[in-house]
Amino acid sequence: MAVPDPITNGSSTPLLTASALSRRLSSDAAVTDISLTLDRGDVVGLLGLNGAGKSTTLRLLCGVLVPDQGSVTINGFSMADSPLQARQQVGYLPDEPPLYNDMRVHEYLTLAGRIRGLRGNALVQRRETVTEQCLLQSVDKKLIGTLSKGFRQRVGLAQALIHEPAVLLLDEPSNGLDPQQLDSMRKLIIDTGSSSAVILSTHLLSEARATCNRVAIIHAGRLVADRPAEGTDLELVFHGATT
Amino acid sequence: MIATIARHESTRLLRSGQTWIMAALLAALFGFLFLKQLEAFIDVQAQLAAQDHPVGLTGFLSVRYLEPLALAFTLVAPLFAMRTFSDEFRHNTYALWQSSPVSATALVIGKFAGVLLIMSLLVLLAVSLLICMQLFVRVDFPLIGSATLGLLLCTSACTACGVFFSSLTRQSLIAIVASLALLLFSWVLGSASFSAAPLQFLADLSIANHLRGFFQGYIHTGDIAFFVIITLLFLGLSVIRLDSLRQSGH
């Protein structure tokens, strides 16, 4: 699968800037001094072992969690000063998709679009587009509670994409997908990455290599490497960084 | 945005079988109590007519039918509100709101408004039985208006209380027990007598004491302010709670 190279958008403002993010959860330091910059076209794999701090980092980046130190800026909006505008620029898929089992897929996507400010024809159009992109046409009228894990994951992705976010944050998006679904999910992420910036967390090096053009390795809450995804030494770097 | 959230919340309630079961039980209670008090009025009508200032049908039913229903609404409002946030926490759907451009204030007001809309329909159903009497006798509409206002204000305060306790826990049951305990305590304050001066302020915190006037047709701004303040207090506490969740990371 071809992975696009980073595309510069001609603008000097990065789509996402995280500066020295630190956050303690309970008494333990969950993440320490994380800095990341993403431009349009960046598809970054946040790679790390379980418990390394990947999910916490994504939660800090999308504003679900407030950092103890550091700052996040999304498409020019500071998460601290203009949280609503900053969150408007983000699409977020947590490790467990936030789905209402008693809603139908199209109803849920309508709600997701509405709370991101879409109305009227624009909402209908975007809902149809993401339904098609995420291959949800066959289950559009079905109750979410009756869907398989793969479909649920795709509905979760569709809600994150519905408002065409500048930054897409995906926490273990390949969870529960069969090989065919995994392939279409990767294609979708790569397509999305051509017009926005994407970070996906994973603990699988193969997944990062197949989907991303950049890899950020996180270990024990610290960013220990940030480099292009291609190159034969990536495996060595990952194992070296996490042991 | 608030309208979108309110619509979502009320639609969710209407989709739930539990809502319809509770509504059916309430409707049965309305019918039973209404007919029972109507019969009671017919029985004592002659004695009432002999009084200097006889109480009319509306006045009688306002005190004997609508006032007891205020307690029923106090008990039911937290049942409807218990799922507003605790269900979101338990099913991990709260992340949708947290990552969206929705402020905690809009979220709390939207969810509160959604539940209150359903509760208001139930209040109107209860009052409609009284209004239907207009087909046969003259009813006192200003008194009905006053009683309806009292019921709506009481329901609003109890719903806000339920929303707040729902924002504190993932367990709906804990939310409902906590809110019912507080609200029933407030009712008990109304029936207890506080002779000692330092304890008299407790009587002022009673829901029952502040409601009584509405069912007799007396609308005091102090009573309206009491319910509005209680409502705003619990909604404000809910907003603070949601903001603290973003800080604490739970």
Side-chain angles (χ1 to χ4, degrees):
Chain A
M1 190 180 295
V3 177
D5 291 329
I7 300 164
T8 50
N9 59 359
S11 156
S12 58
T13 310
L15 287 185
L16 183 147
T17 308
S19 307
L21 287 181
S22 295
R23 172 72 206 203
R24 296 182 81 86
L25 289 176
S26 303
S27 57
D28 302 324
V31 295
T32 309
D33 202 24
I34 300 267
S35 294
L36 265 176
T37 302
L38 271 77
D39 289 311
R40 199 177 300 276
D42 281 346
V43 180
V44 177
L46 193 60
L47 195 60
L49 303 176
N50 288 334
K54 304 184 295 289
S55 295
T56 305
T57 304
L58 291 186
R59 292 172 75 204
L60 288 168
L61 294 177
C62 71
V64 165
L65 198 57
V66 175
D68 294 331
Q69 283 171 12
S71 63
V72 177
T73 305
I74 310 276
N75 207 12
F77 295 104
S78 159
M79 197 58 89
D81 300 331
S82 319
L84 299 188
Q85 289 90 332
R87 275 186 255 149
Q88 177 68 44
Q89 311 293 319
V90 179
Y92 173 54
L93 173 64
D95 54 350
E96 191 176 330
L99 306 176
Y100 292 100
N101 290 334
D102 56 352
M103 291 180 91
R104 294 178 196 282
V105 172
H106 69 99
E107 291 170 341
Y108 176 71
L109 293 179
T110 302
L111 172 71
R114 278 183 181 278
I115 62 178
R116 269 69 174 258
L118 293 173
R119 294 287 183 275
N121 283 341
L123 173 60
V124 174
Q125 209 168 4
R126 279 303 300 163
R127 193 185 65 206
E128 284 171 2
T129 303
V130 293
T131 301
E132 208 172 303
Q133 279 180 326
C134 298
L135 306 173
L136 293 168
Q137 298 97 320
S138 60
V139 296
D140 190 36
K141 301 275 190 300
K142 285 194 175 174
L143 284 174
I144 291 172
T146 64
L147 300 182
S148 67
K149 189 156 188 212
F151 272 119
R152 291 171 66 85
Q153 196 73 1
R154 280 143 69 181
V155 176
L157 181 63
Q159 69 77 24
L161 285 171
I162 196 158
H163 57 303
E164 295 184 274
V167 176
L168 185 62
L169 305 172
L170 309 171
D171 198 352
E172 311 257 3
S174 58
N175 268 354
L177 300 182
D178 63 34
Q180 201 180 357
Q181 291 170 336
L182 191 61
D183 193 47
S184 60
M185 172 76 88
R186 283 177 181 165
K187 278 183 187 152
L188 181 58
I189 292 170
I190 291 167
D191 285 349
T192 307
S194 64
S195 58
S196 54
V198 181
I199 301 182
L200 66 93
S201 78
T202 179
H203 55 272
L204 301 172
L205 184 59
S206 57
E207 189 183 351
R209 208 195 280 277
T211 318
C212 309
N213 51 31
R214 215 174 110 193
V215 170
I217 299 171
I218 188 166
H219 182 63
R222 288 180 181 275
L223 203 60
V224 290
D226 185 357
R227 46 158 295 155
E230 64 266 20
T232 51
D233 60 337
L234 188 59
E235 203 161 324
L236 285 174
V237 173
F238 180 52
H239 288 301
T242 55
T243 51
Chain B
M1 186 60 73
I2 289 173
T4 300
I5 300 166
R7 199 169 117 185
H8 168 66
E9 197 59 36
S10 53
T11 310
R12 273 187 76 202
L13 274 175
L14 290 176
R15 260 198 293 261
S16 156
Q18 205 179 341
T19 304
W20 290 101
I21 290 170
M22 280 198 284
L25 289 174
L26 272 179
L29 175 71
F30 299 161
F32 171 75
L33 201 60
F34 181 76
L35 290 175
K36 194 168 181 293
Q37 295 308 324
L38 197 58
E39 275 180 27
F41 178 78
I42 292 166
D43 289 344
V44 297
Q45 198 173 10
Q47 292 154 274
L48 289 175
Q51 291 178 351
D52 287 344
H53 300 287
V55 180
L57 176 66
T58 315
F60 186 85
L61 289 178
S62 177
V63 173
R64 302 280 291 267
Y65 162 63
L66 289 180
E67 194 171 345
L69 286 186
L71 179 60
F73 285 116
T74 301
L75 299 177
V76 168
L79 284 172
F80 279 81
M82 69 180 177
R83 293 171 59 190
T84 46
F85 286 107
S86 53
D87 260 20
E88 303 266 7
F89 300 151
R90 200 169 61 248
H91 297 132
N92 295 315
T93 48
Y94 187 57
L96 178 70
W97 302 104
Q98 272 191 314
S99 61
S100 301
V102 178
S103 67
T105 308
L107 187 56
V108 167
I109 294 175
K111 282 184 169 281
F112 165 75
V115 178
L116 188 62
L117 177 70
I118 303 296
M119 289 301 303
S120 300
L121 291 176
L122 290 170
V123 169
L124 293 180
L125 178 66
V127 173
S128 67
L129 295 182
L130 205 51
I131 295 173
C132 284
M133 295 303 292
Q134 174 70 16
L135 294 171
F136 312 105
V137 291
R138 248 187 69 216
V139 297
D140 185 348
F141 280 106
L143 179 55
I144 292 178
S146 165
T148 307
L149 178 65
L151 283 176
L152 288 175
L153 285 169
C154 171
T155 305
S156 164
C158 297
T159 302
C161 176
V163 168
F164 169 63
F165 279 105
S166 177
S167 74
L168 292 180
T169 173
R170 294 167 70 91
Q171 302 301 328
S172 306
L173 194 62
I174 295 174
I176 190 163
V177 168
S179 38
L180 284 180
L182 183 69
L183 292 169
L184 286 176
F185 177 67
S186 177
W187 273 92
V188 171
L189 287 178
S191 54
S193 58
F194 299 99
S195 49
L199 293 176
Q200 272 178 358
F201 78 97
L202 288 174
D204 292 335
L205 295 176
S206 160
I207 291 178
N209 285 353
H210 287 281
L211 265 181
R212 203 155 293 135
F214 288 103
F215 297 106
Q216 292 162 355
Y218 306 121
I219 300 177
H220 297 288
T221 48
D223 293 335
I224 294 177
F226 171 79
F227 288 111
V228 171
I229 288 169
I230 295 287
T231 303
L232 293 178
L233 175 73
F234 280 118
L235 293 184
L237 288 172
S238 306
V239 172
I240 292 169
R241 166 66 181 162
L242 295 191
D243 279 336
S244 79
L245 283 179
R246 212 180 277 281
Q247 302 286 338
S248 66
H250 293 294

